[in-house]
């Protein structure tokens, strides 16, 4: 699920430009889920994703076509529509950068499976006034914006990013594939 937010506020968190925020909620097996919070960036001439935070062993619940991930800091639900589209692989995706003692770039995974479009609702719960939103049932583009306001730099943390209001959920899909790690 990707959503747009005020890009100037996103820029205040990042060492490079960004266009949208994205939440990846994954089911690894019947008992284990994972949530990644990242944003689109262009860095060193490459396009990809910058990881803001990653949580493993995230509880989830399936009810028919609906899957809900629920933690103390996030609730996100995906409801499959039954409508499929092309493969979600991005042709210009160099992968996902992860910060840490040494920044690493995880290459993109080979995904040939078709995506299923989903309806989605989400609510961050770090402060009670965090970003939340719902999809409109269609995929919208993330459009780069020129700088309008320069905000003071802030640390790149999930609570700081989640505090930026959601302007619009841009798109949501579900993909089933075997991870090659």
């Amino acid at each position: 699920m990707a959503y747009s937010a005020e890009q100037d506020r996103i820029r205040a968190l990042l060492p490079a430009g960004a266009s949208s925020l994205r939440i990846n909620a994954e089911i690894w097996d019947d008992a284990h889920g994972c949530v990644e919070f990242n944003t689109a960036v262009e860095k060193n001439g490459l396009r990809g994703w910058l990881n803001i935070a990653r949580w493993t062993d995230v509880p989830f619940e399936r009810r028919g076509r609906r899957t809900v991930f629920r933690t103390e800091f996030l609730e996100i639900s995906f409801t499959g529509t039954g409508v499929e589209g092309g493969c979600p692989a991005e042709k210009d995706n160099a992968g996902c950068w992860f910060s840490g003692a040494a920044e690493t770039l995880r290459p993109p995974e080979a995904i040939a499976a078709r995506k299923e479009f989903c309806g989605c609702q989400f609510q961050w719960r770090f402060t009670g006034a965090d970003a939340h939103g719902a999809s409109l049932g269609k995929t919208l583009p993330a459009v780069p914006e020129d700088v309008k306001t320069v905000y003071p730099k802030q640390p790149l943390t999930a609570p700081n990013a989640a505090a930026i209001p959601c302007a619009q959920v841009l798109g949501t899909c579900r993909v089933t594939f075997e991870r090659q790690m």
Side-chain angles (χ1 to χ4, degrees), residues 90-160:
E90 300 148 329
K91 293 174 181 33
D92 64 349
N93 180 12
C96 189
W97 286 275
F98 288 82
S99 298
E103 185 177 86
T104 59
L105 176 63
R106 182 181 71 195
E109 296 172 284
I111 302 174
R114 293 174 57 80
K115 63 186 171 191
E116 177 187 12
F117 294 98
C118 295
C120 176
Q121 295 181 330
F122 81 101
Q123 170 70 61
W124 287 108
R125 296 182 185 169
F126 289 107
T127 69
D130 296 317
H132 60 278
S135 60
L136 296 174
K138 59 183 176 180
T139 301
L140 304 169
V143 180
E145 298 172 0
D146 292 332
V147 175
K148 295 177 189 134
T149 305
V150 177
Y151 291 99
K153 283 289 188 188
Q154 292 184 310
L156 179 60
T157 64
N160 285 345

Side-chain angles (χ1 to χ4, degrees), residues 8-91:
D8 288 337
R9 289 190 60 193
I10 298 171
R11 287 182 190 106
L13 302 176
L14 301 175
S19 59
S20 65
L21 298 170
R22 182 171 80 168
I23 303 169
N24 293 329
E26 302 177 4
I27 296 174
W28 290 343
D29 56 36
D30 287 334
H32 299 90
C34 174
V35 172
E36 288 184 350
F37 187 23
N38 47 49
T39 192
V41 295
E42 189 166 329
K43 187 175 184 174
N44 302 325
L46 301 172
R47 289 183 174 191
W49 301 94
L50 177 62
N51 189 275
I52 298 168
R54 185 172 198 262
W55 301 275
T56 57
D57 288 325
V58 175
F60 64 91
E61 175 183 356
R62 293 182 189 172
R63 289 189 205 149
R65 299 188 76 81
R66 185 170 186 235
T67 303
V68 179
F69 292 80
R70 192 174 286 122
T71 72
E72 69 277 1
F73 56 84
L74 173 68
E75 181 170 324
I76 185 168
S77 68
F78 299 94
T79 304
T81 63
V83 177
E84 287 191 354
C87 172
E90 300 148 329
K91 293 174 181 33

